[in-house]
Amino acid sequence: MTDQQAEKPNYKKTLNLPKTAFPMKANLAQNEPQSLKKWLASGLYDRVRSARADAPRFIFHDGPPYANGDIHVGHLMNKVLKDLVVRSRLMEGEWCDYVPGWDCHGLPIEYRVMTELVESGKIAKLADLEEDARRMAVRRECRKYAEKSQKRQRTQMERLLTFADYDNPYLTMQPEFEGATVEVFADLVAAGLVYRDLKPVHWSIDNETALAEAELEYRDCEDCSIYVEFEAADREAVGRVFGVELDTTPSFMIWTTTPWTLVANLAIAVHERFDYALARIDGSETIIASALLEKVAAMGGAEEIEILGTCTGAQLDGLRYRHPFCDRESPVVLADYVTLEDGTGLVHTAPGHGADDYRTGLREGLEVYCPVLGDGTYDETVPEWMRGLSIWKANPEVVERLRESGHLFHDHLFTHSYPHDWRSKTPVIFRATEQWFIGVDKDFADGGSLRQRATEAVNTTVSFVPAWGRNRMLGMLESRPDWCLSRQRAWGLPIPAFSRPDGESFLTAASARAVAEAFRARGSDAWFTETPKELLASYDLASDPDAPEGLDLSSLTKMQDIFDVWFESGSSWNSVMRERDLGFPVDLYLEGSDQHRGWFQASLLPGIGVTGESPYRTLITHGFMVDKDGRKMSKSGGNALAVEELLKSYGADVCRWWVSSLAFENDVKVDVEFFRLAGESYRKIRNTVRFLLSNLVGFEPDKHQVALEDIEPHTADGWILGHAAQVERHVREALHRYAFREAHLAIYDFCNDALSATYCVAVKDRLYCDAEDSSRRRACQSTIFVLADLLCRLLAPIIPHTASEIHGSLHGEGIEVFEASHLGLSYESATEWPAIMRQREGVLKALEEAKARGIENPLDAGVVVPDPEDAFAAFAEDFADLCGVSRARFEHGIGEIEIEDLREELRCERSWKRDGTVRARSDGGLLSDRDAAAIGL
RNA sequence: GGGCCUGUAGCUCAGCUGGCUAGAGCGCACCCCUGAUAAGGGUGAGGUCCGAGGUUCGAGUCCUCGUAGGCCCA
């Protein structure tokens, strides 16, 4: 027994079996940081940049994430999508700067810092400081926090293998950025677009300060809810609308929970599509939304209700009414925020005391009337009985007055959630204060408003991916109000405005430029540490045509507003792209679809205002992360995925492979499960490449490479090369138009179908069994070398670490794949291949059926395939391998595929084929002619 | 409440300007290989195209109204 076995030749040793150091297991979490280190150490970014100094440039501009907290899956997708663009361009031989940015100023950081100061008790020390010193103390803490967050996020983003210039990022708190941003502002001032006006903000009476959204907390609060009747000014006009004759004057019934604001009432808002009724309620005529009539009447204890007529809100538009206790008339206007949930369907409107009211007032040209002072008392413009009264004391007073004068229909106490100052825990009011604005409807000297010009640009010079972005943007441009630029906070870029002794503000283009110069040199902290004179050192009053007459610079004091952070990031096309000479206008901005209102619009308006053109040529938007059921990801809920964990479990390349597979224009479902699936698909690619690499043992390109033109178009090599050339063109073209998913699928299908399931299986026989140096085997290895090289480059933009691994395996460690470009493979395979591959489908089905006859292994079969045109004979040899059978022939005389049972024929002990040439050889083994020759028998 | 978008096999998605028995991959089931082996290959079963109306000779595709979800605004 043992002897017999020893006698049997061991043919396995004579085969050229695959061998490679390229591991099946990627170990990405361990190995990617090594790659990263290697690239950083060798200065890859700079190396590629200088090598591409004269190459065509693609101008990309990174939008700044907020420097706060760890990056989340949304950042992961955003940054990787950007990197796909950048690396795609590199692989096309172009250069594309990726200068990463961070948004550093703003409330979220200031709020956090303030909370920490309060909790640590340090806040008490600040209280004694002067205003500027106090703000500087806060700013120093905020800067520290922003720097820390930025560094943290930088590391996390680098870990995603993004090819960006992390050593030279832009931060909105950098002096040059600040200076360049104020210069944008100066240009807008020069264009006459900037003005100062009243606008309602959340106001804390206790602290006498404006509050931002994040400084509010909502608490339950008991308030007086009142239904008030405002007499119509023109009885007949109302009668005409409702088509009735009226003997008495009807009223408009409004509802409010803030009686103290009634004194500032300047309009009543109705919804144009709602129905309104003119009703006689217990003898008096009242106008109220039809849907609410019964409910309100019942609340007021009414006994008799008679509807005299109805109309739509649109018909009420323009009617006028008399204020119940002030001597004035005001209009009925339309507003789309009117609802039928509460109240009467007619909304009390006080433009100085509500955000909605304010917008409506702006549109209707109403005064922003705010008779309430910072300490919560009324000023001199109100009726005498209210003057000097605190608004909280005024509330019951107002109700009583209305009751006495017969204007009160009903009142009751009720509990609702109402905003409070988070520090003093006192209720907050809406109060109009002076703010800076950019006017979107102000005409330029040469005609046209910002709104018109921006709309024009969006319609003509900007392309949108996906295309519906244009509509969305246009809709937002159409309805947006003037841009309120100012905020009353410490952590931001100061608005370079001064006030004069008479209370007027001083701000001209030239004075703003002088401050910009100071910021550029010494940072915006200068605003808090320097005098107006120092800040305006480079300002020449005499040569400023816009300077007000008789201005005395030494009498100026600094105003305390800072810019809306969106103005800072919205100026980055200047503060980064023009400032650093990176290119303008920019070819591409790529962000989440929320940025249609955010950064895209914040960039478009200043861009148009200053340069006359859109700062970007193409806008790409991606959707948002939702959970696996399509629901919003909640920050507090458990469905948020930690990027760090994903990187640890799957690695950056798998995460990137996942990103490239997404239909990113829509919302993206995210769940660990999807990363696991991406990992499996990644392994499929990796194993396929590994198979290719492992069959290049002993293949030295210099010595053995067969030129492409010498590879026969009718062989399996010819087939795959033609296929590969097509795939390369497709993938490059898809990447070019940002169809990453399409590129991903094309690569995957090529690896999975064309290579793994078809080509690789087919050529195993010749790779393993042909003589090592046979021309057929060398041609196959040459093909494999080209395929691996081609795939490596196609994969480079998506999975850079793996591509680098493959490239190293093929070409050694000297040069990185990112310094190279695509192969540009050109090869035409035989035109018969599509027809032949269709025949292969048929053969595979027939083989499956043949299993029932006992032919379970395809090598036990031969196939005969119809060839009516006698066109396929040359393909027979490779066709057999492509079907996995022992032999194949084409015959023109038959109608359908025939499977031959070869089980009775001898089987080659080396190749396991039954090709008809198998016989006993001198070494005692059964071998086919090819195999005998291969081992020199 | 308004604007924009999405809803096709268990899952992720293709289906362009209306015209084949609605496609692919994954997963699943069954089978093969054991010389890519914590790999590889074959075959197959899966769909009231969110719902209801309408236009049309014909609708997954166009229109209207719903419904569920997302972004932005209010």
Side-chain angles (χ1 to χ4, degrees), chain A residues 470-483:
Chain A
R470 173 173 285 122
N471 259 342
R472 184 169 155 104
M473 189 97 178
L474 286 172
M476 288 172 172
L477 275 174
E478 193 184 343
S479 64
R480 71 154 298 144
D482 282 354
W483 184 353

Side-chain angles (χ1 to χ4, degrees), chain A residues 221-225 257-259 392 395 412-416 418:
Chain A
C221 176
E222 191 170 64
D223 266 315
C224 189
S225 161
T257 59
T258 52
W392 303 123
N395 260 344
H412 65 268
L413 290 176
F414 87 121
T415 304
H416 64 154
Y418 189 84

Side-chain angles (χ1 to χ4, degrees), chain A residues 466-505:
Chain A
W468 51 258
R470 173 173 285 122
N471 259 342
R472 184 169 155 104
M473 189 97 178
L474 286 172
M476 288 172 172
L477 275 174
E478 193 184 343
S479 64
R480 71 154 298 144
D482 282 354
W483 184 353
C484 179
L485 280 183
S486 45
R487 297 290 184 272
Q488 291 66 49
R489 302 298 320 179
W491 181 228
L493 178 65
I495 294 180
F498 299 89
S499 51
R500 301 167 61 188
D502 61 3
E504 288 296 300
S505 56

